[in-house]
Amino acid sequence: MSTRPFAVVTGGSNGIGLELARQFATNGYDLLIAAEDRVHLEEAARDLRSSGATVDIHAADLSREDAVAGLHGTLRGRAVDALCVNAGIGLGGPFLETDLQTELKMVDLNVRGAVQLTKLVLKDMVVRDAGKILLTSSIAGTMPDPFEAIYGGTKVFLRWFGEALRNELKDSGVTVTVLMPSLTETNFFKRADMMDTRAGPAPKDDPAIVAKAGFDALMAGKDKVIPTAKNKVMGAIADLLPDRAAAQIHRGLSEPGSADRKLDPTKPLAIGAAALGVGALLFAGWRRRPHLPAHLGGTSGSSTAKALHITLKARAGKEAEVESLLQGILDEVRHEVGTRPWFGLRRTESTFEIFETFPNEAAREAHLSGKGAALLMERSNAVLASPANIDRLDVLLTKHA
């Protein structure tokens, strides 16, 4: 029997799952990859074996209880060093119109199958006091997901299932990590019938980058990982927003027919870009500059009112241009919206601080209900349009007493 560590990856025939398997194969693991399509599994296995790994396949519909039990049975008692519960499907569209049987299968695969396989494999890990589990959730787990209501619900479940399980196992040698990718270049949107949505044709992350982030976090024993800097910012902002505002953001990405619509700045679709609106600047900027670092932190106080504080460091010689652009945007939006300016701008040499603060939750809600954030999203793109403008971004989420 091989002395190499052994990993099991479900949904391992394509997309993020295949790239996760590749990470294991190139880092000295043997593999069992599982998915429904045998042909795709065989193609993936041939590819993975080129790295020197022993790769077995298991073709089965893991939405079925007997199929999950069968997958576990193929292990024949072999110790699993790493389990990646990655198999999943999605479906877009209005809940009243989507196919019920597809949604029930989604729940069975994304949730029931994940729970069953995790429990079966985890018992042996705990006996050995060693093992690593990676659950693929989604950044969709940070917000309500209109037009993906069932899919989003399954990803919320996986997020908190993983976090809870990690806590239960904190005194053991077993770790649980939750992977929370954003839009990724896979077949997901085509299979979910979402190519007519804004999310369908939108720029997406490379699944290899997503998988490496997940693998690195798993090996480091981290609780969760949101791959890429722009997605860390997006997730942080989504957690900051009221649920109804975050739901409206997601609607703008997932509503059928939205791919052909232009943003209407009089509607609060874009409020999710920011609790202050300038967070939208990050969305456009990170898409253009994915290599920039983002350092996320936070402090807590006694109040429920929250604020977003962004620090930008301009590149040498670009300070005046950045300051002019930022100040012009803020002044324009203040003038057009005609509300109290809950946000401001400070400069210290080449560093710029964009900040917001609300005296209470009611003031924050009132600001978000207006069109200021939408206007800021629409008009702040110019700040980061040039790849030479910004050297560094720091984002701090705070609660204010």
Side-chain angles (χ1 to χ4, degrees), residues 11 69 157 181 212 215 230 253 270 283 307 330 342 386 401:
F157 172 86
K212 187 178 189 311
F215 179 84
K230 69 179 177 63
L253 291 170
F283 279 39
L330 293 176
W342 296 114
S386 167

Side-chain angles (χ1 to χ4, degrees), residues 286-353:
W286 288 118
R287 187 174 296 116
R288 293 183 175 89
R289 313 242 4 253
H291 60 283
L292 282 171
H295 306 278
L296 296 170
T299 59
S300 60
S302 58
S303 172
T304 58
K306 300 178 183 178
L308 180 64
H309 190 115
I310 302 171
T311 302
L312 309 176
K313 182 175 175 56
R315 288 191 183 276
K318 292 290 182 179
E319 296 89 349
E321 181 180 348
V322 169
E323 181 175 27
S324 176
L325 286 167
L326 289 173
Q327 190 62 63
I329 291 165
L330 293 176
D331 288 345
E332 182 180 8
V333 172
R334 286 192 192 113
H335 174 73
E336 291 201 24
V337 175
T339 58
R340 291 187 63 182
W342 296 114
F343 42 83
L345 176 67
R346 285 192 293 260
R347 176 182 175 183
T348 305
E349 297 181 346
S350 62
T351 299
F352 299 86
E353 296 175 82

